[in-house]
Amino acid sequence: MAHPKVLVVGAGPVGLAAANRLLRNGAAVRIIDRNPARTTLSKALAINVRTLEHLEASGLSDRLIEAGQRINRMRFFRGADPLAEIDLSRLHHRYNYLVCLPQSETERIFEDELNAQGGRVERETELTGFHREGETVTVALTGPGGWAETATADYLVGADGAHSAVRKGLGVGFPGGRHDLRWNLADVQIDGPYRDDEAVMHLQPAHAMLVLPLGRRWFRIVTTVPDALNRLPLGRVVGEPAWNTDFTTSHRIVDSYGAGRVFLAGDAAHLHSPAGGRGMNLGIEDATVLANRIVGGGLETYSRDRRKVGLSVIAQTERMLAMVTLRNPLAQALRNLALRCLVPLEPVQARLRPRLMGLAD
């Protein structure tokens, strides 16, 4: 099909990535979102190497790199005592760094590109139902002021998040479970020795704390206890957080990413903990792979291929989560000893770099 008509549901990073690639591939794209405007919150920050690779063909990688904060190393501490450092810049790749960029900025860049290609997000527009009939998908939409519309498309892409209407309409299973943790994140200014080009993981006896740079002495703190901001191991928080929220996480993956003319991408298909920063990245990978296959072929194996990757990433994030949230003192001591003695070895670093940077599925 030379110029398929595609309806993308959801205009977060995943939906926008799909729409951009589809437009570049020659598809006719309509993208809708139930919200009145794109997010103003920082939300997902990390952009990894695999994502930068996928976005090159859409011309977006350079813009994300220019707007974001490069992460050249990751450091591990036991409280305030250093344990290990991983030098990401020694990765043998054109992108030998991670990028930190607030999700609000990622979405702005993606939407600017969409507009430049002649597309636009139809906001306050919601999918209320659909059915598949032969080689078309008929959708029911509602929008501002209560208007309703019935439309057809060659393909329907569900990039509409954890509570996906497309997934529910498909009726696929979404098995998994909930983590027994409550996370807290905050965007704060810090007076202390944290650098703008490094991520820091503090492994405390009772909790873990990740510190990510946002630039201009602002940092994202992610912790597993709500009052950890008052116990920053290095330096101190200055003023009030620009954003602060609590949340819980699940580990889930759909039985099928779709079939025929209806497909899922991003959180609509998989959920996992923030350990490793893979959530948004995995969704953007789904979106670009799907967009390429809608135009170029290969849809018959999209679900199998992406589900295999999703299962692998969830397993990785579960292992990372278990490692940073150990509670047994002996297990903590052994983990810290391994970090101190093994991680400085170059063969170990060579194995860890691609995993931390999203290149090992």
Side-chain angles (χ1 to χ4, degrees):
M1 188 178 298
H3 302 288
K5 293 168 55 181
V6 186
L7 174 65
V8 178
V9 182
V14 176
L16 288 166
N20 273 308
R21 181 60 62 86
L22 284 162
L23 283 171
R24 281 189 172 268
N25 288 348
V29 179
R30 186 175 182 184
I31 178 170
I32 65 171
D33 194 279
R34 64 186 300 178
N35 296 308
R38 66 173 178 262
T39 186
T40 60
L41 303 176
S42 55
K43 292 187 176 182
L45 292 179
I47 300 171
N48 67 29
V49 175
R50 180 65 55 78
T51 298
L52 294 174
E53 290 178 342
H54 276 281
L55 292 175
E56 280 182 331
S58 297
L60 292 165
S61 295
D62 288 344
R63 287 182 235 178
L64 295 174
I65 293 167
E66 183 180 359
Q69 186 71 39
R70 294 191 188 190
I71 306 297
N72 297 315
R73 67 186 59 82
M74 183 163 190
R75 301 175 69 197
F76 294 86
F77 288 78
R78 180 188 181 277
D81 299 325
L83 291 172
E85 176 180 315
I86 300 174
D87 186 353
L88 305 178
S89 68
R90 297 188 65 181
L91 180 75
H92 297 299
H93 194 283
R94 61 190 178 280
Y95 303 124
N96 58 347
Y97 46 82
L98 298 171
V99 175
C100 266
L101 184 66
Q103 183 176 322
S104 54
E105 281 298 288
T106 298
E107 290 188 17
R108 179 189 63 78
I109 290 169
F110 283 8
E111 190 168 356
D112 285 350
E113 173 62 18
L114 181 79
N115 295 338
Q117 293 188 73
R120 69 178 182 89
V121 177
E122 298 177 46
R123 299 204 176 271
E124 297 183 272
T125 303
E126 187 171 355
L127 177 79
T128 57
F130 66 89
H131 68 270
R132 292 164 283 179
E133 190 172 343
E135 296 187 350
T136 62
V137 183
T138 301
V139 300
L141 307 176
T142 61
W147 65 259
E149 177 188 355
T150 300
T152 61
D154 297 312
Y155 295 98
L156 174 62
V157 174
D160 48 343
H163 304 289
S164 170
V166 178
R167 185 185 66 242
K168 293 173 184 175
L170 277 170
V172 296
F174 198 31
R178 183 165 289 278
H179 296 111
D180 188 24
L181 286 171
R182 187 159 194 89
W183 298 79
N184 176 263
L185 64 81
D187 293 346
V188 298
Q189 287 186 301
I190 296 178
D191 180 14
Y194 298 101
R195 293 168 53 111
D196 284 339
D197 66 342
E198 66 183 24
V200 173
M201 173 65 76
H202 292 285
L203 300 169
Q204 311 285 70
H207 69 279
M209 174 185 289
L210 177 66
V211 182
L212 292 167
L214 299 174
R216 299 182 298 279
R217 303 308 299 164
W218 282 90
F219 297 84
R220 158 73 56 81
I221 298 179
V222 184
T223 72
T224 53
V225 292
D227 63 342
L229 291 184
N230 301 319
R231 293 184 262 158
L232 192 63
L234 301 173
R236 63 184 182 87
V237 172
V238 179
E240 295 298 317
W243 185 43
N244 191 5
T245 188
D246 293 327
F247 62 98
T248 58
T249 57
S250 301
H251 51 97
R252 298 184 181 277
I253 188 165
V254 288
D255 294 329
S256 170
Y257 279 51
R261 300 281 169 161
V262 183
F263 295 93
L264 302 170
D267 287 355
H270 45 74
L271 298 171
H272 50 79
S273 85
R278 293 298 299 273
M280 179 180 71
N281 292 280
L282 184 60
I284 291 173
E285 292 172 31
D286 295 339
T288 53
V289 169
L290 178 57
N292 286 338
R293 294 192 182 189
I294 284 174
V295 175
L299 278 173
E300 64 278 359
T301 62
Y302 168 76
S303 178
R304 183 194 67 195
D305 295 345
R306 294 312 299 170
R307 192 170 188 276
K308 180 180 178 181
V309 175
L311 286 168
S312 176
V313 169
I314 289 173
Q316 287 181 38
T317 60
E318 290 296 293
R319 288 194 295 268
M320 288 184 186
L321 182 63
M323 187 273 288
V324 300
T325 58
L326 290 171
R327 291 293 176 263
N328 182 282
L330 177 59
Q332 290 180 345
L334 291 173
R335 174 199 63 197
N336 295 344
L337 181 64
L339 284 167
R340 192 185 300 275
C341 297
L342 297 179
V343 169
L345 302 176
E346 179 53 31
V348 177
Q349 296 235 346
R351 287 181 61 85
L352 290 175
R353 286 184 199 110
R355 293 185 180 277
L356 290 172
M357 300 171 82
L359 291 174
D361 296 329

